[in-house]
Amino acid sequence: MVDVLGTDVPSESPRADPVALARGLRSLVRAEAPACERARTMTPAVVEAMWSSGLMQAFNPAPAGGLEPTFAAMIETWIEMAWQDGSFGWTGIANLPSSFAAAAYLPDAGFAEVFTARDNRATLGGQFFPNGQGVAVEGGYRLTGAWSFGSGTGHAQYVAAGFLPMVDGQPRWVSEGIPDMQVAVIPREEVDFADGWHVQGLRGTGSYDYAVTDVFVPAERTFALFTRTPLRGTSPATRMGMMPVTAAGHAAWALGVAKSMLDDVADLAATKFRMSDMASLASRPTFQKGYAHHLAAWRAARLLVLEAFTAAEAAVASGEDLTPVLRADMRAAAVYATDVSRGAAEWAHLAAGTSAIRDGSRLERAFRDVYTGTQHAFISEKVAIDAAQIWLGVIDDQFGL
């Protein structure tokens, strides 16, 4: 099988290279993919392999057992994971950033409870959008809310839940027009799950709906959704906040799934003969032109993503502010990479013909996955519009970018 392009990130030791950690799981992930789909969450074998390899905690700050990788290393790791399997890759962009954020931003007492007391073996997943309300009480909040698509919660010990703090029946505000938005980290046993994860694609991600009703969450197990002030970790990523990390994950995921389809159709083309066609698929000029176009577009999108995120990372590392333009650059790059990846996947699926429609094949599963994952609001056209308005000077900033 054709390998993923551009995923080598040099390091002194494979244990210090998250890309190598992910690549080492290829055989297991491929073998377990059908079982993950049937279970509608990652199998225990995959979860344990992520822990034993060091991958699950790799993006954490060092005090939480992590490697604090660069954005380039994170992006290439996610591309590799999604190339192996869409659900595995989606788990990577759910569990790894959730753990990263909690480890970087939780107050000391919350960090000690969630991470230190578990020898840093804490899996997190969930939904950060503030679909809950937390009534402020002494020592914390009484939280009530319901969240959909809690990615990675099928095997998470802690569940993230975004909420609006409420004081005297009103939201708490951080500035004019901007409410305070917090994230609660809740033990799994305090969460009510709904078994509604019956979907077209990404079936193995355990992205369950869940709810809590009047659950007390101590303040030390909460942090601000848009904070860029880490309490742990020294990498620039910790000073850039959750939005860039999440955007990088979505971009890399789409690129990884699309690349798997381009690679698989290229492998197939040498021996694929269409009915009444004496020439193999690989020898047809129309296939060659389409393959060249989409592979070149994929490479260009990947380079754009790397450039946008590493430029912002370098600015923050040198002490500069994470400006609205830099944030718009990253978010727009993620949207563009998603659009390019969707187009490449559609072409590969069509070019493969009936080979791509057999239930359970990599091509069939990847096609379902890419059209499920690219529905996410985080890489919607509104994000591109917000970025364009900043570039054009129509608005000064959009805090959600």
Side-chain angles (χ1 to χ4, degrees):
M1 181 174 291
V2 181
D3 202 354
V4 185
L5 294 178
T7 56
D8 289 323
V9 180
S11 69
E12 296 180 2
S13 166
R15 293 286 303 183
D17 178 0
V19 185
L21 300 181
R23 189 179 292 124
L25 303 182
R26 281 187 176 186
S27 296
L28 174 67
V29 169
R30 183 161 189 171
E32 290 288 310
C36 292
E37 286 233 325
R38 290 191 299 270
R40 292 177 292 115
T41 191
M42 289 288 107
T43 62
V46 174
V47 176
E48 179 54 38
M50 292 176 72
W51 276 114
S52 62
S53 67
L55 179 61
M56 187 72 87
Q57 68 269 43
F59 290 8
N60 286 356
L67 303 174
E68 301 197 23
T70 63
F71 262 100
M74 287 192 286
I75 288 164
E76 299 292 15
T77 301
W78 280 320
I79 290 175
E80 168 66 28
M81 294 177 72
W83 179 86
Q84 294 179 29
D85 175 67
S87 286
F88 179 58
W90 196 266
T91 297
I93 71 169
N95 292 139
L96 274 59
S98 297
S99 179
F100 159 89
Y105 306 125
L106 278 177
D108 288 345
F111 177 80
E113 176 185 350
V114 175
F115 290 92
T116 306
R118 289 178 172 269
D119 295 326
N120 291 328
R121 190 182 172 105
T123 308
L124 283 85
Q127 172 63 260
F128 283 59
F129 192 80
N131 281 339
Q133 292 188 352
V135 177
V137 296
E138 184 177 357
Y141 305 91
R142 305 296 309 188
L143 180 60
T144 298
W147 297 262
S148 299
F149 308 120
S151 296
T153 57
H155 53 270
Q157 293 123 333
Y158 286 92
V159 177
F163 71 98
L164 299 175
M166 307 294 289
V167 179
D168 297 328
Q170 297 296 320
R172 193 166 64 198
W173 301 86
V174 294
S175 61
E176 185 177 354
I178 301 178
D180 187 8
M181 288 176 271
Q182 296 280 323
V183 178
V185 177
I186 310 171
R188 181 183 190 86
E189 55 270 19
E190 297 179 12
V191 177
D192 296 321
F193 289 94
D195 187 11
W197 191 238
H198 298 273
V199 285
Q200 175 188 27
L202 296 179
R203 294 175 181 171
T205 59
S207 300
Y208 302 144
D209 298 343
Y210 59 98
V212 297
T213 302
D214 197 33
V215 169
F216 176 71
V217 181
E220 59 264 25
R221 271 200 275 111
T222 67
F223 60 90
L225 174 59
F226 290 106
T227 183
R228 296 178 201 153
T229 305
L231 300 179
R232 272 150 243 104
T234 60
S235 72
T238 62
R239 302 195 300 278
M240 294 168 71
M242 273 297 293
M243 298 303 108
V245 175
T246 303
H250 278 278
W253 178 85
L255 288 168
V257 178
K259 188 58 166 55
S260 79
M261 295 188 71
L262 289 172
D263 288 350
D264 286 358
V265 80
D267 285 348
L268 175 69
T271 56
K272 175 77 175 180
F273 289 81
R274 288 285 180 85
M275 188 177 294
S276 303
D277 194 340
M278 300 301 293
S280 69
L281 186 60
S283 66
R284 295 174 60 185
T286 53
F287 176 84
Q288 295 165 358
K289 179 179 181 297
Y291 182 69
H293 169 79
H294 287 289
L295 182 57
W298 184 92
R299 290 175 173 175
R302 172 181 165 270
L303 290 174
L304 173 65
V305 168
L306 288 169
E307 190 277 333
F309 284 88
T310 56
E313 179 182 45
V316 172
S318 66
E320 298 177 26
D321 291 334
L322 187 62
T323 65
V325 170
L326 288 172
R327 286 163 33 228
D329 289 349
M330 290 185 285
R331 294 297 298 275
V335 173
Y336 180 75
T338 300
D339 291 345
V340 166
S341 297
R342 188 190 299 112
E346 181 179 10
W347 173 82
H349 186 267
L350 183 63
T354 56
S355 299
I357 67 172
R358 297 194 179 277
D359 192 25
S361 71
R362 265 174 57 95
L363 277 165
E364 184 268 341
R365 187 169 63 247
F367 185 72
R368 287 189 285 107
D369 288 345
V370 83
Y371 270 88
T372 300
T374 58
Q375 294 280 7
H376 202 286
F378 209 82
I379 32 78
S380 69
E381 65 176 12
K382 183 186 182 302
V383 176
I385 292 168
D386 289 342
Q389 288 182 341
I390 288 175
W391 291 337
L392 292 167
V394 175
I395 58 176
D396 293 329
D397 198 0
Q398 166 45 264
F399 76 91
L401 286 179

